[in-house]
mmCIF file of all heavy atoms in Angstrom:
data_model
loop_
_atom_site.group_PDB
_atom_site.id
_atom_site.type_symbol
_atom_site.label_atom_id
_atom_site.label_comp_id
_atom_site.label_asym_id
_atom_site.label_seq_id
_atom_site.Cartn_x
_atom_site.Cartn_y
_atom_site.Cartn_z
ATOM 1 N N ARG A 1 1.144 -11.402 6.007
ATOM 2 C CA ARG A 1 2.530 -11.752 5.844
ATOM 3 C C ARG A 1 3.343 -10.500 5.931
ATOM 4 O O ARG A 1 3.898 -9.959 4.883
ATOM 5 C CB ARG A 1 2.818 -12.474 4.544
ATOM 6 C CG ARG A 1 2.121 -13.871 4.550
ATOM 7 C CD ARG A 1 2.680 -14.854 3.535
ATOM 8 N NE ARG A 1 4.035 -14.908 3.361
ATOM 9 C CZ ARG A 1 4.977 -15.799 4.012
ATOM 10 N NH1 ARG A 1 4.449 -16.472 4.969
ATOM 11 N NH2 ARG A 1 6.193 -15.666 3.810
ATOM 12 N N PRO A 2 3.409 -9.813 7.021
ATOM 13 C CA PRO A 2 4.102 -8.506 7.118
ATOM 14 C C PRO A 2 5.593 -8.569 6.924
ATOM 15 O O PRO A 2 6.197 -7.536 6.502
ATOM 16 C CB PRO A 2 3.725 -8.019 8.631
ATOM 17 C CG PRO A 2 3.465 -9.131 9.326
ATOM 18 C CD PRO A 2 2.881 -10.186 8.280
ATOM 19 N N GLU A 3 6.212 -9.656 7.053
ATOM 20 C CA GLU A 3 7.616 -9.949 6.871
ATOM 21 C C GLU A 3 7.971 -9.982 5.400
ATOM 22 O O GLU A 3 9.103 -9.916 5.075
ATOM 23 C CB GLU A 3 8.141 -11.127 7.694
ATOM 24 C CG GLU A 3 7.731 -12.394 6.997
ATOM 25 C CD GLU A 3 6.311 -12.897 7.310
ATOM 26 O OE1 GLU A 3 5.533 -12.089 7.861
ATOM 27 O OE2 GLU A 3 5.948 -14.117 6.966
ATOM 28 N N SER A 4 7.054 -10.173 4.496
ATOM 29 C CA SER A 4 7.232 -10.215 3.062
ATOM 30 C C SER A 4 7.684 -8.906 2.430
ATOM 31 O O SER A 4 7.486 -7.956 3.016
ATOM 32 C CB SER A 4 5.987 -10.854 2.352
ATOM 33 O OG SER A 4 5.717 -11.985 2.761
ATOM 34 N N ALA A 5 8.403 -9.034 1.324
ATOM 35 C CA ALA A 5 8.793 -7.783 0.606
ATOM 36 C C ALA A 5 7.699 -7.159 -0.043
ATOM 37 O O ALA A 5 7.725 -6.988 -1.316
ATOM 38 C CB ALA A 5 9.887 -8.274 -0.247
ATOM 39 N N HIS A 6 6.811 -6.622 0.636
ATOM 40 C CA HIS A 6 5.725 -5.778 0.040
ATOM 41 C C HIS A 6 6.161 -4.470 -0.270
ATOM 42 O O HIS A 6 6.936 -3.795 0.559
ATOM 43 C CB HIS A 6 4.450 -5.632 1.101
ATOM 44 C CG HIS A 6 3.901 -6.872 1.543
ATOM 45 N ND1 HIS A 6 3.249 -7.735 0.677
ATOM 46 C CD2 HIS A 6 3.888 -7.477 2.668
ATOM 47 C CE1 HIS A 6 2.886 -8.785 1.338
ATOM 48 N NE2 HIS A 6 3.211 -8.703 2.702
ATOM 49 N N ASP A 7 5.870 -4.105 -1.535
ATOM 50 C CA ASP A 7 6.132 -2.630 -1.859
ATOM 51 C C ASP A 7 4.961 -2.148 -2.594
ATOM 52 O O ASP A 7 3.948 -2.960 -2.938
ATOM 53 C CB ASP A 7 7.441 -2.499 -2.595
ATOM 54 C CG ASP A 7 7.515 -3.290 -3.984
ATOM 55 O OD1 ASP A 7 6.385 -3.613 -4.420
ATOM 56 O OD2 ASP A 7 8.516 -3.388 -4.419
ATOM 57 N N LEU A 8 4.814 -0.814 -3.051
ATOM 58 C CA LEU A 8 3.824 -0.247 -3.663
ATOM 59 C C LEU A 8 3.455 -0.993 -4.991
ATOM 60 O O LEU A 8 2.337 -1.433 -5.267
ATOM 61 C CB LEU A 8 4.012 1.198 -3.922
ATOM 62 C CG LEU A 8 2.864 1.948 -4.664
ATOM 63 C CD1 LEU A 8 1.467 1.840 -3.700
ATOM 64 C CD2 LEU A 8 3.314 3.360 -4.759
ATOM 65 N N ALA A 9 4.507 -1.352 -5.785
ATOM 66 C CA ALA A 9 4.255 -1.888 -7.067
ATOM 67 C C ALA A 9 3.740 -3.407 -6.804
ATOM 68 O O ALA A 9 2.705 -3.650 -7.673
ATOM 69 C CB ALA A 9 5.514 -1.847 -7.823
ATOM 70 N N SER A 10 4.240 -4.097 -6.055
ATOM 71 C CA SER A 10 3.807 -5.491 -5.947
ATOM 72 C C SER A 10 2.309 -5.544 -5.377
ATOM 73 O O SER A 10 1.522 -6.341 -5.770
ATOM 74 C CB SER A 10 4.685 -6.336 -5.051
ATOM 75 O OG SER A 10 4.643 -5.851 -3.743
ATOM 76 N N LEU A 11 2.070 -4.676 -4.458
ATOM 77 C CA LEU A 11 0.672 -4.564 -3.838
ATOM 78 C C LEU A 11 -0.322 -4.063 -5.003
ATOM 79 O O LEU A 11 -1.538 -4.634 -5.023
ATOM 80 C CB LEU A 11 0.682 -3.703 -2.565
ATOM 81 C CG LEU A 11 1.250 -4.354 -1.395
ATOM 82 C CD1 LEU A 11 1.488 -3.340 -0.273
ATOM 83 C CD2 LEU A 11 0.555 -5.483 -0.891
ATOM 84 N N ALA A 12 0.103 -3.222 -5.682
ATOM 85 C CA ALA A 12 -0.773 -2.562 -6.865
ATOM 86 C C ALA A 12 -1.070 -3.783 -7.808
ATOM 87 O O ALA A 12 -2.277 -4.036 -8.228
ATOM 88 C CB ALA A 12 -0.129 -1.572 -7.523
ATOM 89 N N ARG A 13 0.014 -4.620 -8.231
ATOM 90 C CA ARG A 13 -0.324 -5.683 -9.075
ATOM 91 C C ARG A 13 -1.216 -6.748 -8.460
ATOM 92 O O ARG A 13 -2.148 -7.233 -9.037
ATOM 93 C CB ARG A 13 1.009 -6.389 -9.447
ATOM 94 C CG ARG A 13 1.772 -5.688 -10.565
ATOM 95 C CD ARG A 13 2.954 -6.583 -11.045
ATOM 96 N NE ARG A 13 3.922 -6.887 -9.937
ATOM 97 C CZ ARG A 13 4.941 -6.170 -9.470
ATOM 98 N NH1 ARG A 13 5.207 -4.927 -9.989
ATOM 99 N NH2 ARG A 13 5.727 -6.712 -8.502
ATOM 100 N N ALA A 14 -1.020 -7.067 -7.283
ATOM 101 C CA ALA A 14 -1.857 -8.083 -6.540
ATOM 102 C C ALA A 14 -3.292 -7.650 -6.357
ATOM 103 O O ALA A 14 -4.175 -8.428 -6.379
ATOM 104 C CB ALA A 14 -1.220 -8.349 -5.182
ATOM 105 N N THR A 15 -3.497 -6.372 -6.339
ATOM 106 C CA THR A 15 -4.955 -5.902 -6.189
ATOM 107 C C THR A 15 -5.543 -5.385 -7.501
ATOM 108 O O THR A 15 -6.621 -4.866 -7.410
ATOM 109 C CB THR A 15 -4.864 -4.662 -5.076
ATOM 110 O OG1 THR A 15 -4.122 -3.646 -5.426
ATOM 111 C CG2 THR A 15 -4.410 -5.215 -3.731
ATOM 112 N N HIS A 16 -4.763 -5.480 -8.509
ATOM 113 C CA HIS A 16 -5.174 -5.143 -9.821
ATOM 114 C C HIS A 16 -5.680 -3.579 -9.948
ATOM 115 O O HIS A 16 -6.700 -3.296 -10.501
ATOM 116 C CB HIS A 16 -6.323 -6.054 -10.318
ATOM 117 C CG HIS A 16 -6.066 -7.475 -10.162
ATOM 118 N ND1 HIS A 16 -5.095 -8.100 -10.987
ATOM 119 C CD2 HIS A 16 -6.378 -8.397 -9.204
ATOM 120 C CE1 HIS A 16 -5.026 -9.308 -10.607
ATOM 121 N NE2 HIS A 16 -5.819 -9.571 -9.523
ATOM 122 N N VAL A 17 -4.957 -2.720 -9.322
ATOM 123 C CA VAL A 17 -5.156 -1.290 -9.393
ATOM 124 C C VAL A 17 -3.817 -0.654 -9.750
ATOM 125 O O VAL A 17 -2.774 -1.275 -9.473
ATOM 126 C CB VAL A 17 -5.818 -0.733 -8.101
ATOM 127 C CG1 VAL A 17 -7.234 -1.264 -7.814
ATOM 128 C CG2 VAL A 17 -4.880 -0.845 -7.011
ATOM 129 N N SER A 18 -3.855 0.600 -10.167
ATOM 130 C CA SER A 18 -2.565 1.278 -10.347
ATOM 131 C C SER A 18 -1.903 1.630 -9.050
ATOM 132 O O SER A 18 -2.669 1.764 -8.085
ATOM 133 C CB SER A 18 -2.753 2.574 -11.143
ATOM 134 O OG SER A 18 -3.455 3.581 -10.349
ATOM 135 N N ALA A 19 -0.654 1.824 -9.065
ATOM 136 C CA ALA A 19 0.062 2.205 -7.781
ATOM 137 C C ALA A 19 -0.450 3.611 -7.360
ATOM 138 O O ALA A 19 -0.665 3.759 -6.174
ATOM 139 C CB ALA A 19 1.580 2.305 -8.126
ATOM 140 N N ARG A 20 -0.732 4.454 -8.213
ATOM 141 C CA ARG A 20 -1.274 5.713 -7.829
ATOM 142 C C ARG A 20 -2.575 5.610 -7.125
ATOM 143 O O ARG A 20 -2.826 6.313 -6.086
ATOM 144 C CB ARG A 20 -1.345 6.692 -9.054
ATOM 145 C CG ARG A 20 -1.701 8.069 -8.736
ATOM 146 C CD ARG A 20 -1.828 8.851 -10.006
ATOM 147 N NE ARG A 20 -2.392 10.136 -9.698
ATOM 148 C CZ ARG A 20 -1.763 11.385 -9.872
ATOM 149 N NH1 ARG A 20 -0.401 11.344 -9.996
ATOM 150 N NH2 ARG A 20 -2.434 12.388 -9.594
ATOM 151 N N SER A 21 -3.524 4.696 -7.623
ATOM 152 C CA SER A 21 -4.824 4.616 -7.033
ATOM 153 C C SER A 21 -4.728 3.948 -5.659
ATOM 154 O O SER A 21 -5.353 4.418 -4.717
ATOM 155 C CB SER A 21 -5.741 3.672 -7.928
ATOM 156 O OG SER A 21 -5.978 4.311 -9.163
ATOM 157 N N LEU A 22 -3.695 3.020 -5.501
ATOM 158 C CA LEU A 22 -3.666 2.461 -4.214
ATOM 159 C C LEU A 22 -3.048 3.315 -3.196
ATOM 160 O O LEU A 22 -3.532 3.438 -2.075
ATOM 161 C CB LEU A 22 -2.679 1.100 -4.337
ATOM 162 C CG LEU A 22 -2.513 0.281 -3.095
ATOM 163 C CD1 LEU A 22 -3.828 -0.228 -2.676
ATOM 164 C CD2 LEU A 22 -1.519 -0.802 -3.304
ATOM 165 N N GLN A 23 -2.142 4.128 -3.596
ATOM 166 C CA GLN A 23 -1.573 5.054 -2.734
ATOM 167 C C GLN A 23 -2.521 6.153 -2.250
ATOM 168 O O GLN A 23 -2.658 6.494 -1.183
ATOM 169 C CB GLN A 23 -0.259 5.786 -3.404
ATOM 170 C CG GLN A 23 0.451 6.739 -2.596
ATOM 171 C CD GLN A 23 1.336 5.905 -1.519
ATOM 172 O OE1 GLN A 23 0.852 5.153 -0.717
ATOM 173 N NE2 GLN A 23 2.709 6.181 -1.584
ATOM 174 N N LYS A 24 -3.266 6.714 -3.291
ATOM 175 C CA LYS A 24 -4.427 7.655 -2.964
ATOM 176 C C LYS A 24 -5.435 6.879 -1.877
ATOM 177 O O LYS A 24 -5.864 7.648 -1.019
ATOM 178 C CB LYS A 24 -5.067 8.098 -4.122
ATOM 179 C CG LYS A 24 -4.319 9.078 -4.918
ATOM 180 C CD LYS A 24 -5.139 9.410 -6.131
ATOM 181 C CE LYS A 24 -4.512 10.714 -6.900
ATOM 182 N NZ LYS A 24 -5.422 11.123 -8.050
ATOM 183 N N ALA A 25 -5.828 5.701 -2.083
ATOM 184 C CA ALA A 25 -6.704 5.006 -1.206
ATOM 185 C C ALA A 25 -6.160 4.888 0.182
ATOM 186 O O ALA A 25 -6.872 5.191 1.190
ATOM 187 C CB ALA A 25 -7.033 3.698 -1.743
ATOM 188 N N TYR A 26 -4.905 4.585 0.301
ATOM 189 C CA TYR A 26 -4.302 4.541 1.606
ATOM 190 C C TYR A 26 -4.214 5.940 2.282
ATOM 191 O O TYR A 26 -4.483 6.047 3.376
ATOM 192 C CB TYR A 26 -2.862 4.023 1.637
ATOM 193 C CG TYR A 26 -2.753 2.375 1.758
ATOM 194 C CD1 TYR A 26 -3.215 1.643 0.726
ATOM 195 C CD2 TYR A 26 -2.386 1.969 2.962
ATOM 196 C CE1 TYR A 26 -3.217 0.264 0.853
ATOM 197 C CE2 TYR A 26 -2.392 0.526 3.190
ATOM 198 C CZ TYR A 26 -2.623 -0.297 2.174
ATOM 199 O OH TYR A 26 -2.794 -1.586 2.310
ATOM 200 N N ARG A 27 -3.919 6.998 1.553
ATOM 201 C CA ARG A 27 -3.913 8.162 2.108
ATOM 202 C C ARG A 27 -5.274 8.811 2.478
ATOM 203 O O ARG A 27 -5.532 9.194 3.658
ATOM 204 C CB ARG A 27 -3.306 9.224 0.956
ATOM 205 C CG ARG A 27 -3.004 10.493 1.580
ATOM 206 C CD ARG A 27 -2.107 10.757 2.661
ATOM 207 N NE ARG A 27 -0.673 10.234 2.452
ATOM 208 C CZ ARG A 27 0.247 10.039 3.462
ATOM 209 N NH1 ARG A 27 -0.126 10.170 4.558
ATOM 210 N NH2 ARG A 27 1.439 9.649 3.169
ATOM 211 N N ARG A 28 -6.208 8.446 1.746
ATOM 212 C CA ARG A 28 -7.641 8.827 1.980
ATOM 213 C C ARG A 28 -8.256 8.074 3.073
ATOM 214 O O ARG A 28 -8.951 8.687 4.049
ATOM 215 C CB ARG A 28 -8.492 8.727 0.704
ATOM 216 C CG ARG A 28 -9.937 9.252 0.823
ATOM 217 C CD ARG A 28 -10.763 8.975 -0.496
ATOM 218 N NE ARG A 28 -10.748 7.555 -0.883
ATOM 219 C CZ ARG A 28 -10.228 6.968 -1.905
ATOM 220 N NH1 ARG A 28 -9.468 7.706 -2.701
ATOM 221 N NH2 ARG A 28 -10.289 5.793 -2.121
ATOM 222 N N GLU A 29 -8.084 6.717 2.931
ATOM 223 C CA GLU A 29 -8.849 5.802 3.954
ATOM 224 C C GLU A 29 -8.077 5.684 5.393
ATOM 225 O O GLU A 29 -8.736 5.590 6.395
ATOM 226 C CB GLU A 29 -9.097 4.533 3.392
ATOM 227 C CG GLU A 29 -9.985 4.555 2.154
ATOM 228 C CD GLU A 29 -11.369 5.036 2.423
ATOM 229 O OE1 GLU A 29 -11.889 4.724 3.458
ATOM 230 O OE2 GLU A 29 -11.918 5.677 1.489
ATOM 231 N N LEU A 30 -6.813 5.674 5.296
ATOM 232 C CA LEU A 30 -5.952 5.364 6.512
ATOM 233 C C LEU A 30 -4.965 6.542 6.874
ATOM 234 O O LEU A 30 -4.252 6.491 7.917
ATOM 235 C CB LEU A 30 -5.182 4.074 6.203
ATOM 236 C CG LEU A 30 -5.928 2.869 5.906
ATOM 237 C CD1 LEU A 30 -5.053 1.678 5.472
ATOM 238 C CD2 LEU A 30 -6.887 2.414 6.983
ATOM 239 N N ASP A 31 -5.029 7.578 6.097
ATOM 240 C CA ASP A 31 -4.048 8.651 6.351
ATOM 241 C C ASP A 31 -2.606 8.370 6.606
ATOM 242 O O ASP A 31 -1.962 8.727 7.373
ATOM 243 C CB ASP A 31 -4.535 9.560 7.706
ATOM 244 C CG ASP A 31 -3.907 10.964 7.723
ATOM 245 O OD1 ASP A 31 -3.715 11.533 6.672
ATOM 246 O OD2 ASP A 31 -3.723 11.347 8.901
ATOM 247 N N THR A 32 -2.302 7.365 5.666
ATOM 248 C CA THR A 32 -0.765 7.010 5.632
ATOM 249 C C THR A 32 -0.438 6.536 4.255
ATOM 250 O O THR A 32 -1.284 6.439 3.318
ATOM 251 C CB THR A 32 -0.612 5.849 6.653
ATOM 252 O OG1 THR A 32 0.825 5.664 6.862
ATOM 253 C CG2 THR A 32 -1.263 4.540 6.259
ATOM 254 N N SER A 33 0.755 6.256 4.040
ATOM 255 C CA SER A 33 1.186 5.723 2.714
ATOM 256 C C SER A 33 1.268 4.262 2.848
ATOM 257 O O SER A 33 1.317 3.673 3.920
ATOM 258 C CB SER A 33 2.564 6.388 2.300
ATOM 259 O OG SER A 33 3.612 5.759 3.158
ATOM 260 N N VAL A 34 1.409 3.538 1.699
ATOM 261 C CA VAL A 34 1.541 2.111 1.750
ATOM 262 C C VAL A 34 2.808 1.638 2.412
ATOM 263 O O VAL A 34 2.836 0.814 3.275
ATOM 264 C CB VAL A 34 1.466 1.551 0.327
ATOM 265 C CG1 VAL A 34 1.983 0.073 0.203
ATOM 266 C CG2 VAL A 34 0.150 1.849 -0.441
ATOM 267 N N VAL A 35 3.882 2.303 2.187
ATOM 268 C CA VAL A 35 5.269 1.960 2.729
ATOM 269 C C VAL A 35 5.127 2.186 4.363
ATOM 270 O O VAL A 35 5.602 1.262 5.055
ATOM 271 C CB VAL A 35 6.310 2.794 2.207
ATOM 272 C CG1 VAL A 35 7.670 2.746 3.052
ATOM 273 C CG2 VAL A 35 6.545 2.541 0.708
ATOM 274 N N GLU A 36 4.414 3.338 4.771
ATOM 275 C CA GLU A 36 4.338 3.564 6.275
ATOM 276 C C GLU A 36 3.442 2.474 6.825
ATOM 277 O O GLU A 36 3.782 2.005 7.996
ATOM 278 C CB GLU A 36 3.795 4.917 6.543
ATOM 279 C CG GLU A 36 4.792 5.935 6.185
ATOM 280 C CD GLU A 36 4.105 7.335 6.088
ATOM 281 O OE1 GLU A 36 2.912 7.449 6.011
ATOM 282 O OE2 GLU A 36 4.771 8.379 6.090
ATOM 283 N N TYR A 37 2.351 2.036 6.167
ATOM 284 C CA TYR A 37 1.537 1.023 6.667
ATOM 285 C C TYR A 37 2.254 -0.270 6.871
ATOM 286 O O TYR A 37 2.161 -0.996 7.894
ATOM 287 C CB TYR A 37 0.302 0.868 5.720
ATOM 288 C CG TYR A 37 -0.765 -0.053 6.342
ATOM 289 C CD1 TYR A 37 -1.766 0.445 7.144
ATOM 290 C CD2 TYR A 37 -0.718 -1.487 6.179
ATOM 291 C CE1 TYR A 37 -2.664 -0.363 7.822
ATOM 292 C CE2 TYR A 37 -1.630 -2.271 6.784
ATOM 293 C CZ TYR A 37 -2.685 -1.790 7.571
ATOM 294 O OH TYR A 37 -3.534 -2.511 8.165
ATOM 295 N N VAL A 38 3.061 -0.735 5.753
ATOM 296 C CA VAL A 38 3.871 -1.925 5.915
ATOM 297 C C VAL A 38 4.795 -1.880 7.104
ATOM 298 O O VAL A 38 4.931 -2.794 7.847
ATOM 299 C CB VAL A 38 4.544 -2.170 4.519
ATOM 300 C CG1 VAL A 38 5.575 -3.370 4.715
ATOM 301 C CG2 VAL A 38 3.592 -2.409 3.410
ATOM 302 N N ARG A 39 5.468 -0.794 7.142
ATOM 303 C CA ARG A 39 6.476 -0.530 8.204
ATOM 304 C C ARG A 39 5.665 -0.653 9.586
ATOM 305 O O ARG A 39 6.188 -1.334 10.584
ATOM 306 C CB ARG A 39 7.133 0.794 8.094
ATOM 307 C CG ARG A 39 8.234 0.932 9.174
ATOM 308 C CD ARG A 39 8.814 2.348 9.220
ATOM 309 N NE ARG A 39 9.440 2.545 7.885
ATOM 310 C CZ ARG A 39 9.165 3.780 7.163
ATOM 311 N NH1 ARG A 39 8.542 4.708 7.711
ATOM 312 N NH2 ARG A 39 9.776 3.935 6.006
ATOM 313 N N GLY A 40 4.588 -0.007 9.736
ATOM 314 C CA GLY A 40 3.834 -0.160 10.979
ATOM 315 C C GLY A 40 3.293 -1.481 11.342
ATOM 316 O O GLY A 40 3.517 -1.988 12.499
ATOM 317 N N ALA A 41 2.970 -2.336 10.445
ATOM 318 C CA ALA A 41 2.595 -3.718 10.543
ATOM 319 C C ALA A 41 3.807 -4.549 11.061
ATOM 320 O O ALA A 41 3.714 -5.326 12.074
ATOM 321 C CB ALA A 41 1.898 -4.420 9.388
#
């Protein structure tokens, strides 16, 4: 659902991890931020 209002906080809650952990995972695994990934999708 790329058109949904995804942001770092809501995705962190949905995945049961901290926002910082999620952001680090995106940077490490995809070389991008969560916001940039959402925008790209």
Side-chain angles (χ1 to χ4, degrees):
R1 294 199 40 92
E3 74 283 5
S4 295
H6 299 295
D7 62 18
L8 180 59
S10 66
L11 290 167
R13 279 191 304 276
T15 58
H16 308 290
V17 298
S18 71
R20 183 178 171 116
S21 294
L22 187 60
Q23 189 72 300
K24 283 183 174 182
Y26 267 76
R27 188 58 64 195
R28 182 182 61 249
E29 301 294 325
L30 302 173
D31 194 31
T32 192
S33 71
V34 172
V35 171
E36 291 166 345
Y37 189 88
V38 170
R39 183 182 305 135

